[in-house]
Amino acid sequence: MTDSSEIAECLARVRAAVATAARDAGRDPAEITLIGVSKRQPLAAIEAAFEAGLRDIGENHADELLEKAAAFAPDGLRYHFIGRLSSRRARKVARQAMLIHTLDSLRLARKLSLIAQEEGREVRALVQVNQGGEATKGGVAPAAAAALVHDTAALPGLCVIGLMSIPPFDDRPRDWFRYLRELRDAAAAETGIALPELSMGMSHDFAEAIAEGATLVRVGTAIFGARD
Ligand SMILES: *Cc1c(COP(=O)(O)O)cnc(C)c1O
């Protein structure tokens, strides 16, 4: 789907649903950042969404992120990296992405810290948690999340500000989101590091994620339509 009026309409619907979910949960809708996930969508789709007011874009392949960010980077547009990050692509992604949602090893954390120091910039990241222990998904085991947060605190230039998860797709998304929030609360208490951000919720379950405290929702098909 690249029709720009259709994207604008879908975006308006998703925004309204985000606001409703926030109010239902007694939250201020302004606490929630809507990230439009444009993977495998043409650049024109990002342009249309930006035109319609979307300011946060998520991509899960490094090369695709770099290509799109090189071609379209108007003032105010923020790219988020939400896929597996290889150390080969880490430097370029760290330059383009305002937030890396998928930190899942101390090795990658050390690499990002080194890059941050060399580039003279702060790199911000979320620790990705693999809640279902699924081999197809990245992330650390829930029991290892606090330790990774703790270990990154000693690394200059790298700032871990929360947790991210893509939970198993089943009929109880809200339970998974609640577990992630509780894990965040426990990790913050254990490490003394504020972890204000929770990246969770996609097209089919962002309302449940907002009910459980999501601050970043990653919505693809509900805004951009089916992917190629
Ligand atoms: C593709 C993707 C999304 C968006 O999924 P939709 O179901 O299209 O909303 C969110 N998060 C990640 C990490 C993704 O890869």
Side-chain angles (χ1 to χ4, degrees):
M1 179 173 75
T2 54
D3 182 67
S4 59
S5 63
E6 213 173 323
I7 289 174
E9 264 171 46
C10 290
L11 178 61
R13 262 200 298 278
V14 170
R15 282 181 147 160
V18 165
T20 300
R23 284 193 212 95
D24 287 350
R27 302 180 60 198
D28 179 352
E31 290 172 17
I32 295 136
T33 299
L34 173 61
I35 300 171
V37 176
S38 52
K39 64 187 185 198
R40 306 206 308 275
Q41 300 284 356
L43 196 64
I46 301 178
E47 291 169 347
F50 182 79
E51 191 63 33
L54 186 71
R55 289 296 175 269
D56 290 87
I57 286 293
E59 288 286 343
N60 74 334
H61 277 111
D63 290 339
E64 191 174 348
L65 167 80
L66 298 172
E67 208 175 288
K68 285 171 170 170
F72 188 62
D75 272 357
L77 183 59
R78 296 175 288 265
Y79 284 94
H80 296 248
F81 188 67
I82 61 173
R84 268 189 211 252
L85 186 55
S86 70
S87 40
R88 210 163 49 89
R89 288 281 182 270
R91 182 178 303 272
K92 285 182 173 168
V93 168
R95 280 183 191 146
Q96 296 296 340
M98 67 90 68
L99 182 61
I100 293 168
H101 291 228
T102 48
L103 176 62
D104 66 356
S105 73
L106 188 55
R107 185 167 164 270
L108 179 57
R110 289 202 177 104
K111 175 93 189 174
L112 290 172
S113 169
L114 207 65
I115 289 167
Q117 293 172 76
E118 287 169 0
E119 304 265 322
R121 69 164 77 220
E122 183 183 80
V123 173
R124 304 195 319 151
L126 307 176
V127 165
Q128 182 180 0
V129 180
N130 190 340
Q131 291 187 278
E134 297 167 282
T136 53
K137 292 176 182 168
V140 298
L148 183 54
V149 169
H150 173 269
D151 292 345
T152 60
L155 301 174
L158 175 64
C159 195
V160 171
I161 59 173
L163 302 183
M164 176 271 207
S165 172
I166 313 163
F169 187 27
D170 62 16
D171 56 358
R172 51 182 196 109
R174 194 155 167 178
D175 290 346
W176 291 112
F177 298 141
R178 189 176 62 253
Y179 299 152
L180 191 72
R181 172 168 51 78
E182 290 169 353
L183 186 67
R184 183 276 307 273
D185 294 346
E190 197 178 318
T191 61
I193 296 162
L195 299 167
E197 305 294 340
L198 275 178
S199 171
M200 57 189 194
M202 317 201 320
S203 289
H204 56 281
D205 56 13
F206 65 83
E208 286 91 342
I210 289 168
E212 292 296 343
T215 61
L216 300 151
V217 291
R218 310 178 308 266
V219 178
T221 45
I223 296 173
F224 295 111
R227 290 179 279 272
D228 296 336

